[in-house]
Amino acid sequence: MHVKPVTSYFADLTGFQPRQFQQKTIDAILSGQNVLLRAPTGSGKTETAIAPFLFARTMKIQDFPNKLIYIVPLRTLATSLRDRAVKLVKQWEDKHREKGERSLVVTLQTGENPEDPRFEGDIVFCTIDQLLSSFLSIPYSVGRGSANVNAGVVFASYLVFDELHLLDPDRSFATTLKLLEQVQGISPYLLMTATITHELAQQIQQEVTKSCEPQEILSLVSVEGEDLVNIEGSRKRLFSPSVEPLSAKVILQDIQMHDRKRVIVICNTVAKSQSLFQDLEAQKRQITTPVNVTLLHSRFLPEDRKAKEATLQKLFEEGWEKQNDKTCQVLISTQVVEAGINITSQVMHTQLCPMNALLQRAGRCARFRGEEGQVFVYREMQVDDEWQALAMSEDDDEAIAQAEKRLRRKFLPYSDKVCERTWETLLEHQTSGSTNAPVGFVTEEGWINRVHREEDEVQAGKRSQSKSRFEMDFDDAVFRGKRSVAENLIRHVDNRCVFMVEDPRIIDLDVSDEVDIRQLQPFSLPRSTLIKIWREYLESCDQTWLFKQVASSQKEQGEGYALPKAQPIKTQKELTESIRLVVNPKYVSYDHHVGLQIGVHIKGHYQSPKKKPKAKVSKEYSYQMDTYLGHLGRMWTCWERDFTGDLLIDGKSTSVRLSSSRDELSLAGGRFISRKLFPHATQAEATALFELLVFLAVISHDLGKLQVKWQEAMRGWQTAAYTLYQSLSAKPNFKIATPGTQLLAHTDHHPEDDTFKRAYDDYTAKHPRPSHAVESAFIAFELLNAVLVPVLTEQFQASEHQIDLVCHTVEMAVGRHHSAWAKGWEDSDEKIHLHPKANEAIQQSWQQLSKRLKGYLPTPDQLPEFGCSYDLEDFLLGKKIREDDLAYQQLYWLVVRALRICDGRSVQLH
């Protein structure tokens, strides 16, 4: 294959040659270096970030990860960037996808758009919360029982952290540094921002590379010289702090006086943007210029927001003057346009915010070469009395501030102190005589350093002082799954995920009902707003329900899906402690102009303007009968080959062809082992060892199903299901077979069919299915002693301690392949009795599957005979791996990810 220069590839991707900073960044990433990129808004950071991943695939760079995770601080930014990436990938594949090669799958994973909860796409756009919670084994994307599925994905991905400056400095920023330190030398990463202080850049460089090799130092790349001249060109952007309040009147006067045609207004909260939008709509006819106002914020339905963004991208694009539009287009928005949306304007009116956020906003005014623009910054906002209550509805509440023993904040959601320092900097600029001088990247860097340097130094000191507390919280999450530490390690969760229902009768006030949130539309609202609504509700003495908490079912999930419960909320404490809520549609309104509004005085009865497509019950929870041998063979097929399955993309069930687990994890596992466990091993040896660990986990994970009592219970159900199926005159759209004489791994289970679901529930109530996962891990010691121990001893010269820990990573993966925090048992008088045909099944599975093992490590042709019964000795999963053994815990993450992804996919291969 002919490999072209990076400059040529970049031109294929974007249509233009790379700038110096882009080529330097791409070259560094492709050569295995990590980069911190500081570049102004509108300079092409997104293309720079995605390019190495696409180029590496085309150039067949073997050591480069086969997955890109693009992490952003805001969910709306994730959405817009994903849409841009889809276009870039299509452009690239039109020129470079080889015949027969599958298309890359680009997915979105946020709280509101959980398309890819297990991070299976090739390019995954997600929020920082989604990634860090997964890395910490307390994931937001999946339930506690699946907490080990995603933890290892960071070691198998090229990681891009965009808009680094927006991370919570006390929480998510510190945890991100920990993550980067852990993936050093295993996963390449790129950190990007337009607004970061020199001090913080150096702090990051020092903290993430403190224990790495000299050649692995984090490279700092900045835009300067010719690049900066080309980006800024003759662009002229001015800043003016305004002492008068931001209002519809001020906006309209400026439009009339300066004949504006493109205006952007940015508010700090959704409520303020909604109130100003309605006020401006009511007053816009007071001037002769035709004015069209569009509102954009985070509380629109996905399809409405996407349509709005597409329209705005056109109306506010570079060269909009050519549209010959005599109407003044006004966009009123929030932080959702601070990054990721490629639009420009003649004038921007914005509420006061921290300097780093302000400069991000200003990047949407006079964004392109040759443009001129004015940025007006306001301390206050004023709307007509009709909209005043709405405007203030998300302001800081005095009662809440007193309860939390703090001062009421004036510039929510931001720090008053940083906002005041930003204001002082703007006033100084105004009085310096430089008001009419264009503000470029160099000046902006100076402002950033002035406003944020002290804060960055304070935060660095806090991180140092709280290091021991951080490590304790980290260990509590990683080793014990304590979700409560998320507030210390990710962010203080001030927003709540609120799901809309269209019929209040589906949930009775005093009953905890099952609710399928996959069918409901979620929105994110501030905790303080919900508390205010709650108080209004109590004062109204209304007898209908307002909120219910969505709580995960405590039921063990085996071969079925347990819906979460909607439980009554009767106190403010219960409300504030709830992360996911259902709201009564009586108090909700929605339209595609204003978006979502919630309140006791709202004339609601919510109806989604466009019905959300009904999601099918995931095949992950529906099973067909599978033999023991057949299931293991299908699982290894899922390790070896690409997988075609369905993902819910843009609200639609979409068939996609996903990368094989081997392509995602094999080389990553090898890099991890050679980096952290056996540095003397070659990459080929380490990769072969990782594949052997996965293979042993696969071959062992269902040993517990070979128990006599498990086979009796499940064969009994399969016989009953077959009898029921034969008795039906109108057959369902699936077939059920007789169990025959072979040992089973799965029975038929079809929760989408009420008849079979009731029959299954009735049967299992009388004949409970015995547990099998921990039992499988317990029995696996014979296989590990026969296969893994000799390999570790002879091929890797491992110590007894290392052997013990590596073996336990496999035991943990096996024992926790259904429940991530399964513990095992203390000494028991009980025994495990294997089926008479168990040994035959084990030997057959080994002989058939070991031939497919793609490694260079010696393995036996035949396994020793397993016993007929086992005494349940003391067996506690995770006990051997302590906090000092973090590398082995992380190796377990990689192995169990492979096991659980293959297990979940295999049942869909029928």
Side-chain angles (χ1 to χ4, degrees):
M1 184 198 72
H2 175 63
V3 177
K4 298 194 291 187
V6 165
T7 53
S8 179
Y9 281 136
F10 194 86
D12 288 346
L13 179 65
T14 64
F16 53 84
Q17 292 292 312
R19 297 187 171 105
Q20 293 177 22
F21 83 89
Q22 291 172 319
Q23 179 155 0
K24 186 175 180 181
T25 299
I26 295 168
D27 287 343
I29 295 291
L30 290 176
S31 65
Q33 298 178 51
N34 302 312
V35 175
L36 170 57
L37 171 61
R38 302 167 66 196
T41 56
S43 59
K45 293 193 293 293
T46 303
E47 292 80 2
T48 306
I50 295 174
F53 179 74
L54 299 176
F55 297 177
R57 292 177 68 87
T58 299
M59 297 165 71
K60 309 295 184 189
I61 298 178
Q62 294 298 317
D63 285 344
F64 203 86
N66 286 319
K67 186 183 299 293
L68 160 61
I69 302 181
Y70 197 119
I71 308 106
V72 294
L74 304 171
R75 60 187 177 278
T76 48
L77 177 55
T79 302
S80 60
L81 286 173
R82 193 277 293 270
D83 293 342
R84 286 174 63 185
V86 167
K87 294 176 182 176
L88 284 171
V89 168
K90 186 179 185 308
Q91 290 172 205
W92 179 257
E93 290 188 335
D94 285 345
K95 296 179 180 179
H96 292 282
R97 184 158 68 97
E98 297 178 2
K99 186 176 181 180
E101 185 180 11
R102 67 182 183 86
S103 294
L104 292 174
V105 178
V106 184
T107 62
L108 179 66
Q109 179 56 38
T110 68
E112 289 187 354
N113 293 285
E115 293 179 358
D116 193 4
R118 301 199 301 182
F119 290 78
E120 294 181 87
D122 299 295
I123 302 178
V124 183
F125 287 86
C126 71
T127 53
I128 189 69
D129 297 31
Q130 294 285 325
L131 184 79
L132 293 186
S133 63
S134 291
F135 168 64
L136 293 168
S137 297
I138 49 174
Y140 295 161
S141 62
V142 293
R144 178 175 168 81
S146 299
N148 52 7
V149 176
N150 295 338
V153 75
V154 297
F155 297 103
S157 306
Y158 161 45
L159 304 170
V160 174
F161 290 83
D162 201 357
E163 308 303 346
L164 198 65
H165 66 281
L166 292 178
L167 298 185
D168 184 331
D170 292 325
R171 298 171 177 86
S172 58
F173 184 77
T175 307
T176 297
L177 294 180
K178 178 74 171 181
L179 184 155
L180 296 176
E181 179 189 338
Q182 291 300 309
V183 303
Q184 189 73 35
I186 301 168
S187 300
Y189 58 83
L190 170 62
L191 316 177
M192 302 195 299
T193 180
T195 50
I196 190 173
T197 63
H198 298 304
E199 285 75 14
L200 185 55
Q202 291 173 353
Q203 288 171 24
I204 295 170
Q205 187 180 43
Q206 292 168 4
E207 291 192 40
V208 302
T209 59
K210 57 190 174 187
S211 58
C212 70
E213 300 296 326
Q215 67 271 20
E216 294 175 345
I217 190 168
L218 178 65
S219 299
L220 300 182
V221 176
S222 293
V223 177
E224 52 194 10
E226 184 180 343
D227 278 352
L228 198 55
V229 172
N230 289 333
I231 292 169
E232 295 185 337
S234 54
R235 183 181 70 192
K236 184 178 181 182
R237 185 188 297 149
L238 309 179
F239 285 78
S240 298
S242 177
V243 293
E244 63 179 322
L246 171 60
S247 66
K249 179 181 176 181
V250 166
I251 295 167
L252 292 171
Q253 285 178 344
D254 180 76
I255 291 171
Q256 187 78 28
M257 184 178 299
H258 298 286
D259 191 27
R260 309 288 196 191
K261 291 295 183 286
R262 294 295 183 274
V263 179
I264 294 179
V265 184
I266 302 184
C267 301
N268 288 348
T269 66
V270 172
K272 281 187 163 46
S273 71
Q274 289 175 322
S275 63
L276 186 58
F277 168 78
Q278 293 177 93
D279 199 9
L280 188 58
E281 277 286 282
Q283 297 189 44
K284 68 182 184 181
R285 291 175 182 80
Q286 294 179 9
I287 63 174
T288 56
T289 304
V291 176
N292 179 61
V293 190
T294 303
L295 179 62
L296 179 67
H297 53 69
S298 60
R299 291 180 212 154
F300 282 103
L301 291 169
E303 57 267 29
D304 286 342
R305 190 163 68 219
K306 191 168 185 177
K308 283 175 175 285
E309 288 181 356
T311 300
L312 292 168
Q313 296 268 21
K314 186 69 176 174
L315 289 174
F316 288 79
E317 68 181 350
E318 182 178 10
W320 57 264
E321 300 91 341
K322 298 174 186 176
Q323 297 176 22
N324 235 0
D325 184 4
K326 295 182 180 180
T327 300
C328 176
Q329 300 291 342
V330 179
L331 165 62
I332 298 180
S333 190
T334 61
Q335 295 89 337
V336 300
V337 298
E338 283 185 12
I341 299 182
N342 198 29
I343 56 177
T344 189
S345 61
Q346 295 169 296
V347 63
M348 174 174 288
H349 304 273
T350 174
Q351 286 192 273
L352 179 62
C353 59
M355 184 61 76
N356 52 17
L358 176 62
L359 296 179
Q360 287 290 146
R361 295 178 182 187
R364 275 71 203 163
C365 177
R367 184 174 181 83
F368 303 109
R369 287 172 58 92
E371 293 186 338
E372 296 185 6
Q374 181 89 34
V375 179
F376 293 103
V377 184
Y378 304 82
R379 289 180 64 93
E380 308 288 343
M381 195 183 97
Q382 190 176 79
V383 294
D384 190 83
D385 290 346
E386 183 178 358
W387 318 112
Q388 190 63 30
L390 173 60
M392 296 175 62
S393 65
E394 291 179 7
D395 289 354
D396 197 13
D397 186 276
E398 186 66 44
I400 295 175
Q402 289 179 3
E404 296 177 353
K405 298 179 181 180
R406 59 174 175 79
L407 295 175
R408 181 177 176 275
R409 292 162 62 188
K410 296 182 291 185
F411 302 107
L412 276 182
Y414 305 111
S415 157
D416 285 2
K417 184 177 181 180
V418 178
C419 287
E420 293 291 2
R421 196 175 291 128
T422 299
W423 185 254
E424 292 168 5
T425 301
L426 293 172
L427 287 178
E428 183 178 295
H429 173 70
Q430 187 180 46
T431 58
S432 68
S434 304
T435 308
N436 294 321
V439 174
F441 188 54
V442 174
T443 301
E444 291 175 352
E445 282 189 314
W447 287 359
I448 288 290
N449 284 319
R450 172 173 176 170
V451 172
H452 293 283
R453 180 192 296 114
E454 180 183 335
E455 180 188 27
D456 289 344
E457 291 172 350
V458 169
Q459 293 301 332
K462 281 184 179 180
R463 286 196 299 275
S464 178
Q465 292 172 5
S466 61
K467 183 69 174 175
S468 60
R469 176 74 256 180
F470 174 89
E471 293 297 339
M472 289 174 62
D473 288 338
F474 179 82
D475 290 342
D476 276 343
V478 166
F479 291 99
R480 289 171 280 280
K482 289 189 177 180
R483 299 187 72 91
S484 58
V485 299
E487 289 236 340
N488 301 333
L489 297 176
I490 302 175
R491 67 181 174 96
H492 175 64
V493 183
D494 196 52
N495 276 29
R496 301 295 184 262
C497 193
V498 181
F499 293 89
M500 304 296 117
V501 296
E502 299 194 1
D503 183 356
R505 294 170 298 176
I506 70 169
I507 303 178
D508 183 75
L509 175 61
D510 297 315
V511 180
S512 295
D513 290 313
E514 288 187 340
V515 56
D516 191 349
I517 59 175
R518 295 173 299 177
Q519 315 299 336
L520 304 179
Q521 180 61 53
F523 289 92
S524 181
L525 280 91
R527 173 183 60 101
S528 56
T529 299
L530 297 175
I531 291 174
K532 289 181 182 179
I533 296 170
W534 176 258
R535 289 175 180 167
E536 292 175 1
Y537 164 75
L538 294 179
E539 291 170 2
S540 71
C541 299
D542 200 318
Q543 296 303 304
T544 57
W545 64 278
L546 175 60
F547 294 120
K548 282 202 169 187
Q549 130 175 248
V550 179
S552 298
S553 173
Q554 297 303 308
K555 174 184 171 184
E556 279 292 321
Q557 294 184 25
E559 296 181 3
Y561 172 59
L563 290 171
K565 298 274 189 178
Q567 300 173 346
I569 284 181
K570 298 181 178 179
T571 67
Q572 181 176 311
K573 184 174 184 291
E574 290 176 349
L575 174 64
T576 57
E577 290 177 351
S578 301
I579 300 299
R580 299 183 298 177
L581 301 163
V582 173
V583 63
N584 191 327
K586 175 181 177 180
Y587 306 113
V588 182
S589 73
Y590 181 90
D591 71 66
H592 65 273
H593 296 296
V594 179
L596 182 82
Q597 295 184 80
I598 296 180
V600 173
H601 305 297
I602 293 291
K603 295 179 181 179
H605 302 291
Y606 171 83
Q607 293 284 322
S608 63
K610 187 175 180 181
K611 292 279 189 182
K612 187 176 180 181
K614 188 173 180 64
K616 294 186 272 186
V617 175
S618 171
K619 290 181 181 178
E620 181 182 353
Y621 308 115
S622 296
Y623 290 75
Q624 287 180 276
M625 188 190 80
D626 205 354
T627 66
Y628 184 81
L629 290 176
H631 176 54
L632 296 183
R634 273 182 270 276
M635 280 191 66
W636 199 247
T637 295
C638 290
W639 169 258
E640 296 172 324
R641 300 179 189 173
D642 295 342
F643 173 77
T644 300
D646 293 336
L647 291 179
L648 202 64
I649 296 180
D650 275 341
K652 300 175 183 176
S653 183
T654 306
S655 178
V656 294
R657 187 176 164 197
L658 297 167
S659 167
S660 71
S661 290
R662 171 185 275 159
D663 283 349
E664 177 193 313
L665 295 168
S666 184
L667 287 173
R671 287 195 300 270
F672 183 94
I673 288 172
S674 62
R675 172 78 181 193
K676 296 204 173 192
L677 303 182
F678 301 114
H680 57 276
T682 66
Q683 180 64 40
E685 290 171 337
T687 301
L689 175 58
F690 179 74
E691 180 156 313
L692 178 61
L693 298 180
V694 174
F695 181 78
L696 293 172
V698 169
I699 209 89
S700 304
H701 84 288
D702 273 352
L703 288 172
K705 289 184 177 179
L706 298 178
Q707 297 175 82
V708 171
K709 58 183 181 180
W710 197 96
Q711 288 294 320
E712 287 178 347
M714 290 299 96
R715 289 174 64 79
W717 160 247
Q718 188 65 31
T719 300
Y722 176 73
T723 302
L724 174 60
Y725 179 82
Q726 292 297 323
S727 71
L728 296 176
S729 55
K731 295 290 193 287
N733 61 354
F734 51 82
K735 294 181 179 180
I736 292 184
T738 179
T741 60
Q742 297 187 73
L743 298 182
L744 301 183
H746 294 125
T747 62
D748 271 277
H749 179 61
H750 302 281
E752 72 278 13
D753 186 288
D754 291 339
T755 300
F756 281 88
K757 186 178 188 303
R758 283 194 300 269
Y760 179 82
D761 290 343
D762 290 343
Y763 179 88
T764 53
K766 297 174 184 176
H767 310 280
R769 181 179 63 249
S771 59
H772 74 277
V774 180
E775 289 79 358
S776 298
F778 181 73
I779 300 170
F781 79 91
E782 295 210 44
L783 191 151
L784 298 178
N785 282 338
V787 179
L788 183 57
V789 172
V791 167
L792 292 174
T793 303
E794 297 166 14
Q795 303 295 317
F796 293 87
Q797 294 78 52
S799 67
E800 287 188 16
H801 182 62
Q802 286 178 308
I803 291 171
D804 207 23
L805 292 179
V806 173
C807 286
H808 197 56
T809 64
V810 179
E811 291 174 339
M812 286 173 63
V814 170
R816 291 177 169 176
H817 79 272
H818 279 306
S819 182
W821 300 105
K823 294 181 179 179
W825 54 71
E826 305 284 353
D827 281 335
S828 170
D829 294 332
E830 295 185 22
K831 290 178 177 286
I832 293 176
H833 297 284
L834 294 186
H835 192 278
K837 292 185 177 180
N839 260 295
E840 180 185 349
I842 294 170
Q843 296 297 340
Q844 285 181 352
S845 63
W846 178 263
Q847 289 167 10
Q848 290 180 20
L849 294 180
S850 61
K851 298 173 184 177
R852 294 163 64 178
L853 192 59
K854 188 181 178 182
Y856 310 98
L857 300 176
T859 55
D861 295 330
Q862 188 170 347
L863 297 177
E865 286 285 311
F866 281 63
C868 296
S869 63
Y870 296 87
D871 294 324
L872 294 186
E873 302 169 357
D874 180 68
F875 186 66
L876 294 175
L877 293 172
K879 184 177 180 180
K880 295 180 180 179
I881 297 180
R882 307 289 186 178
E883 285 84 349
D884 291 341
D885 302 315
L886 179 59
Y888 293 92
Q889 181 78 2
Q890 292 167 343
L891 177 61
Y892 148 69
W893 291 347
L894 286 163
V895 175
V896 78
R897 175 171 176 80
L899 178 62
R900 297 195 71 169
I901 293 291
C902 291
D903 198 17
R905 290 178 178 180
S906 67
V907 298
Q908 301 179 56
L909 292 184
H910 287 277

